[in-house]
Amino acid sequence: MAMYDLVIKGGTVVNSDGSFKADIGVKDGKIACIAGELSDAAQIYDAAGKLVIPGGIDIHTHIDAPINGSHTLDDWYQGTVSAACGGVTCVVDYPMQEKGLTLRGILDKWSRKAEGSAVIDYSFSPVITQRTEEAYADLPRLIEEGFPTWKVYMAYWHRVHDEEIIRLLDVISSNGGLLAIHCENDWAIDYLTKKLLDAGKTEPKYHPISRPPICEENAVQTVIDLADMVDANVLIVHTSCKGALERAARAKANKNNVFIETCPHFLLLDDSVYDQPLEEACKYVITPPIRKAPDRDALWQGIISGDISIVSSDHCAFPYDEKIKLGQESFATIPHGAPGIEARLPVVFSEGVSKGRISAEKFVEIVSANPAKIAGMYPQKGLIAVGSDADISVIDPELEVTLSTKQMHSNCDFSPYEGVKVKGYPVATISRGAFIYKDGEVVGERGHGRLVRRGRFKPF
């Protein structure tokens, strides 16, 4: 019998702290050996000239999700196939607590949706919409059971107020968890939106004007101050602008318990995307909105400096025709969200590594290692090391691809990256030793993915 189930030969192994040429031997879903020369295997994959990285981990997705009267298009099979084709081996999704469901109820419901369908591993960071006494009592138990990360919004119908934010930060952090917060001053946004609509300003170009950067900055500052009062850990999600980043980065430098996330769309696009007819502009109606070029430059600087810890997709695949139809009324009725689970690694690699902004090691840090640390699953995932899960992505740094809806695997019928040329693309994705995607083909088995129960959050 062969010593290994799989050997990945001849590639350059890249972790967040360094890279080296080596063969990787995989046995029973784990990395069993890393050495100069391995060959005794049931299967050999030639990775010569390629980068072999710990699989991408996306901790900000909305798969098969009812949101604000709409519903995202990907089920747990298609959503995870799309992820795997983009080099992702694990997702941590944000299911919204539905009315009448406890926190345990929402975890059970989403586990049932994903089980038997997902092709890669998964876990959940539920969005707490009902801040009941029962919810506060459940949190310590659920953190103990392997769900350390949670989320709330300062926007929309389920927005949290300061008293709830500080209590949630305190309860979650003191039990070894981490609270992610969508930071926008929704009260101000409501006023600005109404003012614009009353003046007949209804086109998508008014979407960013209704949610200016100061609304994000103001909310970020509130969260930082509240977290400081109870010495809590907090993740500021989808940071889009220079001012919000500066405030969060100052707090991070002061005390290492503030973590900052951004997204590929903020690293690639600018607000000129809104100066188009509704049919095009509606693709980019997301929150926070896409900002100006200097904001984009500041975010890249934040990645280089280490202020930004992770880049997640915020994959939220609403139907294109629904975005257009609801947009006839005004920008305020367009569902907020766009797909991105498959484009995340290619966009960040191309804009970052291929363009010389960041090293391959920094790339691995922001798309795999740090997401694993924040989610409480490092070094089981996010690292190529003996004993870690054999979750591996192989990237061809020279492969050039033009991104398009046709070429990607989401059920979503549009892409905010339509026509974008990228250099550097995943050519194989391996989950716990099994190929899910290989040389342009989806080869993974439906239901291969497993629920990951995670450890308590450790600041890093």
Side-chain angles (χ1 to χ4, degrees):
M1 209 167 106
M3 188 176 288
Y4 302 109
D5 303 324
L6 169 68
V7 162
I8 301 163
K9 275 196 84 65
T12 299
V13 176
V14 186
N15 277 319
S16 61
D17 61 353
S19 49
F20 50 91
K21 275 216 162 15
D23 293 355
I24 298 173
V26 174
K27 184 82 180 164
D28 299 329
K30 298 276 184 190
I31 295 170
C33 184
I34 301 170
E37 197 67 41
L38 297 172
S39 55
D40 184 10
Q43 189 180 7
I44 288 180
Y45 182 83
D46 179 10
K50 315 279 195 304
L51 305 180
V52 180
I53 71 166
I57 298 171
D58 197 341
I59 66 169
H60 191 152
T61 63
H62 303 274
I63 297 171
D64 195 3
I67 301 176
N68 300 338
S70 190
H71 202 289
T72 61
L73 286 167
D74 288 318
D75 61 14
W76 274 89
Y77 174 70
Q78 209 58 47
T80 52
V81 162
S82 183
C85 294
V88 174
T89 53
C90 185
V91 295
V92 184
D93 192 67
Y94 282 131
M96 184 98 60
Q97 183 189 9
E98 295 168 60
K99 285 188 171 135
L101 273 186
T102 62
L103 294 179
R104 188 180 297 282
I106 195 72
L107 282 166
D108 289 347
K109 182 172 180 177
W110 249 250
S111 298
R112 285 195 301 272
K113 280 190 187 201
E115 192 181 2
S117 293
V119 298
I120 56 172
D121 290 352
Y122 54 88
S123 195
F124 309 105
S125 303
V127 177
I128 307 166
T129 63
Q130 276 110 86
R131 277 82 59 183
T132 59
E133 289 307 315
E134 185 181 17
Y136 287 109
D138 280 345
L139 281 165
R141 289 193 286 269
L142 293 170
I143 291 168
E144 172 75 26
E145 287 173 29
F147 300 98
T149 50
W150 301 82
K151 185 184 182 185
V152 289
Y153 287 73
M154 295 169 81
Y156 308 121
W157 63 267
H158 44 82
R159 61 190 171 196
V160 278
H161 54 70
D162 290 9
E163 183 197 351
E164 294 173 322
I165 295 171
I166 194 167
R167 186 176 176 190
L168 285 165
L169 282 166
D170 197 17
V171 169
I172 290 169
S173 274
S174 58
N175 283 282
L178 176 72
L179 183 63
I181 305 188
H182 172 125
C183 298
E184 288 184 294
N185 183 328
D186 207 40
W187 310 98
I189 289 164
D190 280 354
Y191 173 76
L192 294 171
T193 301
K194 185 175 185 311
K195 188 178 172 184
L196 286 162
L197 297 181
D198 287 349
K201 295 175 174 176
T202 59
E203 302 100 300
K205 68 180 177 187
Y206 295 106
H207 172 63
I209 296 166
S210 73
R211 312 177 93 89
I214 192 69
C215 284
E216 190 180 341
E217 290 172 42
N218 173 262
V220 165
Q221 191 63 55
T222 297
V223 165
I224 286 163
D225 293 343
L226 293 169
D228 201 32
M229 291 177 207
V230 287
D231 200 22
N233 307 313
V234 64
L235 173 63
I236 310 288
V237 298
H238 50 44
T239 304
S240 73
C241 61
K242 185 172 187 246
L245 172 61
E246 284 171 352
R247 291 181 191 220
R250 255 198 314 275
K252 190 180 199 305
N254 216 0
K255 199 187 275 182
N256 194 25
N257 59 355
V258 176
F259 297 85
I260 306 168
E261 170 193 88
T262 193
C263 305
H265 39 267
F266 298 131
L267 296 170
L268 177 70
L269 307 169
D270 64 55
D271 63 353
S272 63
V273 294
Y274 298 113
D275 298 330
Q276 303 183 77
L278 172 67
E279 289 69 27
E280 279 303 309
C282 71
K283 295 177 183 175
Y284 307 97
V285 173
I286 55 176
T287 54
I290 290 158
R291 306 294 191 189
K292 297 190 178 300
D295 294 297
R296 179 181 62 200
D297 298 343
L299 295 172
W300 276 112
Q301 278 310 121
I303 288 171
I304 293 160
S305 69
D307 289 332
I308 291 174
S309 295
I310 58 169
V311 179
S312 308
S313 69
D314 196 359
H315 179 76
C316 194
F318 288 121
Y320 181 43
D321 62 349
E322 199 170 277
K323 277 173 98 68
I324 296 172
K325 189 172 85 214
L326 293 170
Q328 304 292 337
E329 188 182 325
S330 82
F331 68 84
T333 46
I334 300 172
H336 296 165
I341 205 166
E342 192 167 339
R344 180 179 68 121
L345 266 66
V347 166
V348 177
F349 189 92
S350 182
E351 290 296 303
V353 183
S354 300
K355 291 193 174 172
R357 285 183 171 114
I358 58 172
S359 65
E361 290 83 358
K362 174 59 86 170
F363 170 75
V364 168
E365 180 185 302
I366 58 177
V367 302
S368 183
N370 283 352
K373 289 175 184 177
I374 282 173
M377 50 179 143
Y378 187 89
Q380 179 192 347
K381 296 185 185 293
L383 180 69
I384 290 183
V386 172
S388 294
D389 285 356
D391 284 10
I392 294 165
S393 296
V394 182
I395 291 180
D396 181 343
E398 299 304 317
L399 181 58
E400 296 187 357
V401 172
T402 300
L403 302 180
S404 72
T405 312
K406 281 192 193 72
Q407 160 264 339
M408 286 189 265
H409 298 76
S410 164
N411 282 334
C412 196
D413 47 1
F414 77 94
S415 169
Y417 305 111
E418 195 71 45
V420 171
K421 289 189 174 66
V422 294
K423 183 179 179 188
Y425 211 85
V427 289
T429 304
I430 298 160
S431 165
R432 285 180 285 102
F435 280 97
I436 306 298
Y437 171 73
K438 188 178 173 190
D439 305 325
E441 295 295 314
V442 177
V443 293
E445 212 175 290
R446 181 190 285 267
H448 166 84
R450 285 186 199 152
L451 174 65
V452 183
R453 292 192 184 261
R454 298 168 283 129
R456 285 185 158 80
F457 172 73
K458 297 184 189 76
F460 57 92

